[in-house]
Amino acid sequence: IQASLRAQIFTPKDKLAEWFETYAKALELNVWTKTNLTSSTWDEGERRWTLTVKRQCNGLDETRT
Protein backbone atom coordinates (compact mmCIF):
# COMPACT_ATOMS: atom_id res chain seq x y z
CA ILE A 1 0.00 0.00 0.00
CA GLN A 2 1.25 3.45 -0.85
CA ALA A 3 2.34 5.69 2.02
CA SER A 4 -0.50 8.14 1.34
CA LEU A 5 -3.09 5.35 1.62
CA ARG A 6 -1.58 3.81 4.78
CA ALA A 7 -1.95 7.11 6.61
CA GLN A 8 -5.70 7.13 5.86
CA ILE A 9 -6.47 3.67 7.28
CA PHE A 10 -7.67 3.92 10.87
CA THR A 11 -10.52 2.94 13.16
CA PRO A 12 -12.59 5.91 14.33
CA LYS A 13 -12.46 6.43 18.11
CA ASP A 14 -16.20 5.96 18.60
CA LYS A 15 -16.18 2.65 16.73
CA LEU A 16 -13.20 1.40 18.74
CA ALA A 17 -14.82 2.50 22.03
CA GLU A 18 -18.02 0.68 21.08
CA TRP A 19 -16.02 -2.47 20.29
CA PHE A 20 -14.25 -2.35 23.69
CA GLU A 21 -17.57 -1.91 25.49
CA THR A 22 -19.19 -4.79 23.57
CA TYR A 23 -16.16 -7.03 24.22
CA ALA A 24 -16.19 -6.29 27.96
CA LYS A 25 -19.93 -7.00 28.20
CA ALA A 26 -19.70 -10.22 26.17
CA LEU A 27 -16.95 -11.58 28.42
CA GLU A 28 -18.58 -10.18 31.58
CA LEU A 29 -15.39 -8.30 32.45
CA ASN A 30 -15.23 -5.99 35.43
CA VAL A 31 -13.86 -2.76 33.96
CA TRP A 32 -12.70 0.07 36.20
CA THR A 33 -12.33 3.53 34.73
CA LYS A 34 -10.61 6.44 36.47
CA THR A 35 -8.17 4.00 38.08
CA ASN A 36 -4.39 4.37 38.37
CA LEU A 37 -1.84 1.62 38.75
CA THR A 38 0.42 2.86 41.56
CA SER A 39 2.82 -0.09 41.84
CA SER A 40 3.50 -3.56 40.55
CA THR A 41 5.83 -6.33 41.69
CA TRP A 42 6.60 -9.76 40.27
CA ASP A 43 7.29 -12.63 42.67
CA GLU A 44 9.39 -15.14 40.75
CA GLY A 45 8.97 -17.87 43.37
CA GLU A 46 5.17 -17.60 43.34
CA ARG A 47 5.09 -16.63 39.65
CA ARG A 48 2.54 -13.98 40.52
CA TRP A 49 2.05 -10.26 40.04
CA THR A 50 0.91 -8.02 42.88
CA LEU A 51 -0.67 -4.77 41.73
CA THR A 52 -1.70 -1.76 43.77
CA VAL A 53 -4.39 0.40 42.23
CA LYS A 54 -6.03 3.62 43.34
CA ARG A 55 -9.57 4.23 42.27
CA GLN A 56 -10.34 7.92 41.83
CA CYS A 57 -14.08 7.45 42.12
CA ASN A 58 -14.02 6.72 45.84
CA GLY A 59 -10.39 7.29 46.89
CA LEU A 60 -9.78 3.70 47.99
CA ASP A 61 -6.42 1.98 47.59
CA GLU A 62 -6.85 -1.70 46.79
CA THR A 63 -4.32 -4.48 46.26
CA ARG A 64 -5.24 -7.07 43.65
CA THR A 65 -3.34 -10.24 42.88
Side-chain angles (χ1 to χ4, degrees):
I1 299 177
Q2 296 175 349
S4 61
L5 293 177
R6 279 196 308 259
Q8 296 177 16
I9 299 173
F10 65 94
T11 300
K13 67 175 179 60
D14 292 338
K15 185 174 184 177
L16 184 59
E18 182 180 328
W19 184 87
F20 282 133
E21 186 173 336
T22 301
Y23 183 81
K25 284 181 182 178
L27 295 179
E28 298 179 359
L29 299 176
N30 183 12
V31 177
W32 289 356
T33 58
K34 298 183 180 179
T35 303
N36 293 313
L37 177 65
T38 58
S39 69
S40 63
T41 56
W42 171 251
D43 184 323
E44 186 64 44
E46 295 290 324
R47 301 193 50 77
R48 177 173 56 182
W49 283 101
T50 300
L51 308 175
T52 303
V53 296
K54 183 172 184 177
R55 296 183 69 178
Q56 295 178 354
C57 64
N58 57 14
L60 294 177
D61 291 330
E62 298 185 41
T63 301
R64 297 286 177 145
T65 305

Coordinates of all heavy atoms in Angstrom, one line a residue:
I1 N 0.9 -1.2 0.0 CA 0.0 0.0 0.0 C 0.9 1.2 0.0 O 1.9 1.3 0.7 CB -0.9 0.0 1.2 CG1 -1.8 -1.2 1.2 CG2 -1.7 1.3 1.3 CD1 -2.7 -1.3 2.4
Q2 N 0.5 2.2 -0.8 CA 1.3 3.4 -0.9 C 1.2 4.2 0.5 O 0.2 4.0 1.2 CB 0.7 4.4 -1.9 CG 0.8 3.8 -3.3 CD 0.1 4.7 -4.3 OE1 -0.6 5.6 -4.0 NE2 0.3 4.4 -5.6
A3 N 2.3 5.0 0.8 CA 2.3 5.7 2.0 C 1.1 6.6 2.2 O 0.6 6.7 3.3 CB 3.6 6.5 2.1
S4 N 0.6 7.2 1.2 CA -0.5 8.1 1.3 C -1.8 7.4 1.7 O -2.6 7.9 2.5 CB -0.7 8.9 0.1 OG -1.0 8.0 -1.0
L5 N -1.9 6.1 1.3 CA -3.1 5.3 1.6 C -3.0 4.8 3.0 O -4.0 4.7 3.7 CB -3.3 4.2 0.6 CG -3.7 4.6 -0.8 CD1 -3.8 3.4 -1.7 CD2 -5.0 5.4 -0.8
R6 N -1.8 4.4 3.4 CA -1.6 3.8 4.8 C -2.0 4.8 5.8 O -2.5 4.5 6.9 CB -0.1 3.4 5.0 CG 0.2 2.0 4.4 CD 1.5 1.5 5.0 NE 2.6 2.4 4.8 CZ 3.5 2.4 3.9 NH1 3.5 1.4 3.0 NH2 4.5 3.3 3.9
A7 N -1.7 6.1 5.6 CA -2.0 7.1 6.6 C -3.5 7.3 6.8 O -3.9 7.8 7.8 CB -1.3 8.4 6.2
Q8 N -4.3 6.9 5.8 CA -5.7 7.1 5.9 C -6.5 5.9 6.4 O -7.7 6.0 6.6 CB -6.2 7.4 4.5 CG -5.7 8.7 3.9 CD -6.1 9.0 2.5 OE1 -7.1 8.4 2.0 NE2 -5.4 9.9 1.8
I9 N -5.8 4.8 6.7 CA -6.5 3.7 7.3 C -6.4 3.7 8.8 O -5.4 3.7 9.4 CB -5.8 2.4 6.8 CG1 -5.9 2.3 5.3 CG2 -6.5 1.2 7.4 CD1 -5.1 1.2 4.6
F10 N -7.6 3.9 9.4 CA -7.7 3.9 10.9 C -9.1 3.5 11.3 O -10.0 3.5 10.5 CB -7.3 5.3 11.4 CG -8.3 6.4 10.9 CD1 -9.4 6.7 11.8 CD2 -8.2 7.0 9.7 CE1 -10.3 7.7 11.4 CE2 -9.1 8.0 9.3 CZ -10.2 8.3 10.1
T11 N -9.2 3.2 12.6 CA -10.5 2.9 13.2 C -11.0 4.2 13.9 O -10.2 4.7 14.8 CB -10.4 1.7 14.1 OG1 -10.0 0.6 13.4 CG2 -11.8 1.5 14.7
P12 N -12.1 4.7 13.6 CA -12.6 5.9 14.3 C -12.7 5.6 15.8 O -13.1 4.5 16.2 CB -14.0 6.2 13.7 CG -13.9 5.5 12.4 CD -13.0 4.3 12.6
K13 N -12.5 6.6 16.6 CA -12.5 6.4 18.1 C -13.8 5.9 18.6 O -13.8 5.1 19.5 CB -12.1 7.7 18.8 CG -13.1 8.8 18.7 CD -12.7 10.0 19.5 CE -13.6 11.2 19.4 NZ -15.0 10.9 19.8
D14 N -14.9 6.4 18.1 CA -16.2 6.0 18.6 C -16.5 4.5 18.3 O -17.0 3.7 19.1 CB -17.3 6.8 18.0 CG -17.3 8.3 18.5 OD1 -16.7 8.5 19.6 OD2 -17.8 9.1 17.9
K15 N -16.0 4.1 17.1 CA -16.2 2.7 16.7 C -15.3 1.8 17.6 O -15.8 0.7 18.1 CB -15.8 2.5 15.3 CG -16.1 1.1 14.7 CD -15.8 1.0 13.2 CE -16.2 -0.4 12.7 NZ -16.0 -0.4 11.2
L16 N -14.1 2.2 17.9 CA -13.2 1.4 18.7 C -13.7 1.4 20.2 O -13.7 0.3 20.8 CB -11.8 2.0 18.7 CG -10.7 1.2 19.5 CD1 -10.6 -0.2 19.0 CD2 -9.4 2.0 19.4
A17 N -14.2 2.5 20.7 CA -14.8 2.5 22.0 C -16.0 1.6 22.1 O -16.2 0.8 23.1 CB -15.2 3.9 22.4
E18 N -16.9 1.6 21.1 CA -18.0 0.7 21.1 C -17.6 -0.8 21.1 O -18.2 -1.6 21.8 CB -18.9 1.0 19.9 CG -20.1 0.1 19.8 CD -21.0 0.5 18.6 OE1 -21.0 1.6 18.1 OE2 -21.6 -0.5 18.1
W19 N -16.5 -1.1 20.3 CA -16.0 -2.5 20.3 C -15.5 -2.9 21.7 O -15.8 -4.0 22.1 CB -14.9 -2.6 19.2 CG -14.4 -4.0 19.1 CD1 -15.0 -5.0 18.3 CD2 -13.4 -4.6 19.8 NE1 -14.3 -6.2 18.5 CE2 -13.3 -6.0 19.4 CE3 -12.5 -4.2 20.8 CZ2 -12.3 -6.9 19.9 CZ3 -11.5 -5.1 21.3 CH2 -11.5 -6.4 20.8
F20 N -14.7 -2.0 22.3 CA -14.3 -2.4 23.7 C -15.4 -2.6 24.7 O -15.4 -3.5 25.5 CB -13.4 -1.2 24.2 CG -12.0 -1.2 23.7 CD1 -11.4 -0.1 23.2 CD2 -11.2 -2.4 23.6 CE1 -10.1 -0.1 22.7 CE2 -9.9 -2.4 23.1 CZ -9.4 -1.2 22.7
E21 N -16.4 -1.8 24.6 CA -17.6 -1.9 25.5 C -18.3 -3.2 25.2 O -18.7 -4.0 26.1 CB -18.5 -0.7 25.3 CG -19.7 -0.7 26.3 CD -20.5 0.5 26.2 OE1 -20.0 1.6 25.8 OE2 -21.7 0.4 26.6
T22 N -18.5 -3.5 23.9 CA -19.2 -4.8 23.6 C -18.4 -6.0 24.0 O -18.9 -7.0 24.5 CB -19.4 -4.8 22.0 OG1 -20.2 -3.7 21.7 CG2 -20.1 -6.1 21.6
Y23 N -17.1 -5.9 23.8 CA -16.2 -7.0 24.2 C -16.2 -7.3 25.7 O -16.3 -8.4 26.2 CB -14.7 -6.7 23.8 CG -13.7 -7.7 24.1 CD1 -13.6 -8.8 23.2 CD2 -12.9 -7.6 25.1 CE1 -12.6 -9.8 23.5 CE2 -11.9 -8.6 25.4 CZ -11.8 -9.7 24.6 OH -10.8 -10.6 24.8
A24 N -16.2 -6.2 26.5 CA -16.2 -6.3 28.0 C -17.5 -6.9 28.4 O -17.6 -7.7 29.3 CB -16.0 -4.9 28.6
K25 N -18.6 -6.5 27.8 CA -19.9 -7.0 28.2 C -20.1 -8.5 27.8 O -20.6 -9.3 28.6 CB -21.0 -6.2 27.5 CG -21.3 -4.9 28.2 CD -22.4 -4.1 27.5 CE -22.6 -2.7 28.1 NZ -23.6 -2.0 27.5
A26 N -19.6 -8.8 26.6 CA -19.7 -10.2 26.2 C -18.9 -11.2 27.1 O -19.4 -12.3 27.3 CB -19.2 -10.3 24.7
L27 N -17.8 -10.7 27.6 CA -16.9 -11.6 28.4 C -17.2 -11.4 29.9 O -16.5 -11.9 30.8 CB -15.5 -11.3 28.1 CG -15.0 -11.8 26.7 CD1 -13.5 -11.5 26.5 CD2 -15.3 -13.2 26.5
E28 N -18.2 -10.5 30.2 CA -18.6 -10.2 31.6 C -17.4 -9.7 32.4 O -17.1 -10.2 33.5 CB -19.3 -11.4 32.2 CG -20.6 -11.7 31.5 CD -21.3 -12.9 32.2 OE1 -20.8 -13.5 33.2 OE2 -22.4 -13.3 31.7
L29 N -16.6 -8.8 31.8 CA -15.4 -8.3 32.4 C -15.8 -7.2 33.4 O -16.6 -6.4 33.1 CB -14.4 -7.8 31.4 CG -13.9 -8.8 30.4 CD1 -13.0 -8.1 29.4 CD2 -13.1 -9.9 31.1
N30 N -15.1 -7.1 34.5 CA -15.2 -6.0 35.4 C -14.2 -4.9 35.0 O -13.0 -5.1 35.2 CB -15.0 -6.5 36.9 CG -15.2 -5.4 37.9 OD1 -15.7 -4.3 37.6 ND2 -14.7 -5.6 39.1
V31 N -14.7 -3.8 34.5 CA -13.9 -2.8 34.0 C -13.9 -1.5 34.9 O -15.0 -1.1 35.2 CB -14.3 -2.3 32.5 CG1 -13.4 -1.2 32.0 CG2 -14.2 -3.5 31.6
W32 N -12.8 -1.1 35.4 CA -12.7 0.1 36.2 C -12.2 1.2 35.4 O -11.1 1.1 34.8 CB -11.8 -0.1 37.4 CG -12.3 -1.1 38.4 CD1 -13.5 -1.7 38.5 CD2 -11.5 -1.5 39.6 NE1 -13.5 -2.4 39.6 CE2 -12.4 -2.3 40.3 CE3 -10.3 -1.2 40.1 CZ2 -12.0 -2.9 41.5 CZ3 -9.9 -1.8 41.2 CH2 -10.7 -2.6 41.9
T33 N -12.8 2.3 35.3 CA -12.3 3.5 34.7 C -11.9 4.5 35.9 O -12.2 4.2 37.0 CB -13.4 4.2 33.9 OG1 -14.5 4.5 34.7 CG2 -13.8 3.3 32.7
K34 N -11.1 5.5 35.5 CA -10.6 6.4 36.5 C -9.8 5.7 37.6 O -10.0 6.0 38.8 CB -11.7 7.3 37.1 CG -12.4 8.2 36.0 CD -13.4 9.0 36.7 CE -14.1 9.9 35.6 NZ -15.1 10.7 36.1
T35 N -9.0 4.8 37.2 CA -8.2 4.0 38.1 C -6.7 4.1 37.7 O -6.4 4.0 36.5 CB -8.6 2.5 38.0 OG1 -10.0 2.5 38.4 CG2 -7.8 1.7 39.0
N36 N -5.8 4.3 38.6 CA -4.4 4.4 38.4 C -3.7 3.2 39.0 O -3.9 2.8 40.1 CB -3.8 5.7 38.9 CG -4.3 6.9 38.2 OD1 -4.4 6.9 37.0 ND2 -4.8 7.9 39.0
L37 N -2.7 2.6 38.2 CA -1.8 1.6 38.7 C -0.7 2.4 39.5 O 0.0 3.2 38.9 CB -1.3 0.8 37.6 CG -0.3 -0.3 38.0 CD1 -0.9 -1.4 38.8 CD2 0.3 -0.9 36.7
T38 N -0.6 2.1 40.8 CA 0.4 2.9 41.6 C 1.7 2.1 41.8 O 2.8 2.7 42.0 CB -0.1 3.3 42.9 OG1 -0.6 2.2 43.6 CG2 -1.3 4.3 42.7
S39 N 1.6 0.7 41.7 CA 2.8 -0.1 41.8 C 2.5 -1.5 41.3 O 1.4 -1.9 41.3 CB 3.3 -0.1 43.3 OG 2.4 -0.9 44.1
S40 N 3.6 -2.2 41.0 CA 3.5 -3.6 40.6 C 4.8 -4.3 40.9 O 5.9 -3.7 40.8 CB 3.2 -3.7 39.1 OG 4.3 -3.1 38.3
T41 N 4.7 -5.5 41.4 CA 5.8 -6.3 41.7 C 5.6 -7.8 41.2 O 4.5 -8.2 41.2 CB 6.1 -6.4 43.2 OG1 5.0 -6.9 43.9 CG2 6.5 -5.0 43.7
W42 N 6.7 -8.4 40.7 CA 6.6 -9.8 40.3 C 7.3 -10.6 41.3 O 8.5 -10.4 41.6 CB 7.2 -9.9 38.9 CG 7.4 -11.3 38.4 CD1 8.6 -11.9 38.3 CD2 6.4 -12.2 38.0 NE1 8.4 -13.2 37.8 CE2 7.0 -13.4 37.6 CE3 5.0 -12.1 37.9 CZ2 6.3 -14.5 37.1 CZ3 4.3 -13.2 37.4 CH2 5.0 -14.4 37.1
D43 N 6.7 -11.7 41.8 CA 7.3 -12.6 42.7 C 7.7 -13.9 41.9 O 6.8 -14.6 41.4 CB 6.3 -13.0 43.8 CG 6.9 -13.9 44.8 OD1 7.7 -14.8 44.4 OD2 6.5 -13.8 46.0
E44 N 8.9 -14.0 41.6 CA 9.4 -15.1 40.8 C 9.1 -16.5 41.4 O 8.7 -17.4 40.7 CB 10.9 -15.0 40.5 CG 11.4 -16.0 39.5 CD 10.8 -15.9 38.1 OE1 10.7 -14.8 37.6 OE2 10.5 -16.9 37.5
G45 N 9.2 -16.6 42.7 CA 9.0 -17.9 43.4 C 7.5 -18.3 43.3 O 7.2 -19.4 43.0
E46 N 6.6 -17.3 43.4 CA 5.2 -17.6 43.3 C 4.7 -17.5 41.9 O 3.5 -17.9 41.6 CB 4.4 -16.6 44.2 CG 4.6 -16.7 45.7 CD 4.0 -18.0 46.3 OE1 2.9 -18.4 45.8 OE2 4.7 -18.6 47.2
R47 N 5.5 -16.9 41.0 CA 5.1 -16.6 39.6 C 3.8 -15.9 39.6 O 2.8 -16.3 39.0 CB 5.0 -17.9 38.8 CG 6.4 -18.6 38.8 CD 6.5 -19.7 37.8 NE 6.1 -19.4 36.4 CZ 6.8 -18.6 35.5 NH1 8.0 -18.1 35.9 NH2 6.3 -18.4 34.3
R48 N 3.8 -14.7 40.4 CA 2.5 -14.0 40.5 C 2.8 -12.5 40.6 O 3.8 -12.1 41.2 CB 1.8 -14.4 41.8 CG 0.6 -13.7 42.1 CD -0.2 -14.2 43.3 NE 0.7 -14.3 44.5 CZ 0.2 -14.8 45.6 NH1 -1.0 -15.3 45.7 NH2 1.0 -14.8 46.7
W49 N 2.0 -11.7 40.0 CA 2.0 -10.3 40.0 C 1.2 -9.8 41.2 O 0.2 -10.3 41.5 CB 1.5 -9.6 38.8 CG 2.3 -9.7 37.6 CD1 2.3 -10.6 36.6 CD2 3.4 -8.8 37.3 NE1 3.3 -10.3 35.7 CE2 4.0 -9.2 36.1 CE3 4.0 -7.7 38.0 CZ2 5.1 -8.6 35.5 CZ3 5.1 -7.1 37.4 CH2 5.6 -7.5 36.2
T50 N 1.7 -8.7 41.9 CA 0.9 -8.0 42.9 C 0.8 -6.6 42.4 O 1.8 -5.9 42.1 CB 1.6 -8.1 44.3 OG1 1.7 -9.4 44.7 CG2 0.7 -7.3 45.3
L51 N -0.4 -6.1 42.2 CA -0.7 -4.8 41.7 C -1.4 -3.9 42.8 O -2.2 -4.5 43.5 CB -1.6 -4.8 40.5 CG -1.2 -5.7 39.4 CD1 -2.2 -5.8 38.3 CD2 0.2 -5.3 38.8
T52 N -1.0 -2.7 42.9 CA -1.7 -1.8 43.8 C -2.4 -0.7 42.9 O -1.7 -0.1 42.1 CB -0.8 -1.1 44.8 OG1 -0.1 -2.1 45.5 CG2 -1.5 -0.2 45.7
V53 N -3.6 -0.6 43.0 CA -4.4 0.4 42.2 C -5.1 1.4 43.1 O -5.5 1.1 44.3 CB -5.4 -0.3 41.3 CG1 -4.7 -1.2 40.3 CG2 -6.4 -1.1 42.1
K54 N -5.3 2.6 42.6 CA -6.0 3.6 43.3 C -7.2 4.0 42.5 O -7.0 4.5 41.3 CB -5.2 4.8 43.7 CG -5.9 5.9 44.5 CD -5.0 7.0 44.9 CE -5.8 7.9 45.8 NZ -4.9 9.0 46.3
R55 N -8.4 3.8 43.0 CA -9.6 4.2 42.3 C -9.9 5.7 42.6 O -10.1 6.0 43.8 CB -10.7 3.3 42.6 CG -10.5 1.9 42.2 CD -11.6 1.0 42.6 NE -12.7 1.4 41.7 CZ -13.9 0.8 41.6 NH1 -14.1 -0.2 42.5 NH2 -14.8 1.2 40.8
Q56 N -10.0 6.5 41.6 CA -10.3 7.9 41.8 C -11.8 8.1 42.2 O -12.1 9.1 42.9 CB -10.0 8.7 40.6 CG -8.6 8.7 40.2 CD -8.3 9.5 38.9 OE1 -9.2 9.9 38.2 NE2 -7.1 9.7 38.6
C57 N -12.7 7.2 41.9 CA -14.1 7.4 42.1 C -14.4 7.5 43.6 O -15.3 8.2 44.0 CB -14.9 6.4 41.4 SG -14.7 4.7 41.9
N58 N -13.7 6.7 44.4 CA -14.0 6.7 45.8 C -12.8 6.8 46.7 O -12.9 6.7 47.9 CB -14.8 5.5 46.2 CG -14.2 4.2 45.9 OD1 -13.0 4.2 45.6 ND2 -14.9 3.1 45.9
G59 N -11.6 7.0 46.1 CA -10.4 7.3 46.9 C -9.8 6.1 47.6 O -8.9 6.3 48.4
L60 N -10.3 4.9 47.3 CA -9.8 3.7 48.0 C -8.5 3.2 47.3 O -8.4 3.2 46.1 CB -10.8 2.6 48.0 CG -12.1 2.8 48.8 CD1 -13.0 1.6 48.7 CD2 -11.8 3.0 50.3
D61 N -7.6 2.7 48.1 CA -6.4 2.0 47.6 C -6.7 0.5 47.8 O -7.1 0.1 48.9 CB -5.1 2.3 48.3 CG -4.7 3.7 48.1 OD1 -4.9 4.3 47.0 OD2 -4.1 4.3 49.0
E62 N -6.6 -0.3 46.7 CA -6.8 -1.7 46.8 C -5.7 -2.5 46.2 O -5.1 -2.0 45.2 CB -8.1 -2.1 46.0 CG -9.4 -1.4 46.6 CD -10.6 -1.9 45.8 OE1 -10.7 -3.1 45.6 OE2 -11.5 -1.0 45.6
T63 N -5.4 -3.6 46.8 CA -4.3 -4.5 46.3 C -5.0 -5.7 45.6 O -5.8 -6.3 46.2 CB -3.4 -4.9 47.4 OG1 -2.8 -3.8 48.0 CG2 -2.3 -5.9 46.8
R64 N -4.7 -5.9 44.4 CA -5.2 -7.1 43.6 C -4.1 -8.0 43.2 O -3.1 -7.5 42.8 CB -6.0 -6.6 42.4 CG -7.2 -5.7 42.7 CD -8.3 -6.6 43.2 NE -9.4 -5.8 43.6 CZ -10.7 -6.1 43.5 NH1 -11.0 -7.3 43.0 NH2 -11.6 -5.4 43.8
T65 N -4.3 -9.3 43.3 CA -3.3 -10.2 42.9 C -3.9 -11.0 41.7 O -5.0 -11.4 41.7 CB -3.0 -11.2 44.0 OG1 -2.6 -10.5 45.1 CG2 -1.9 -12.2 43.6

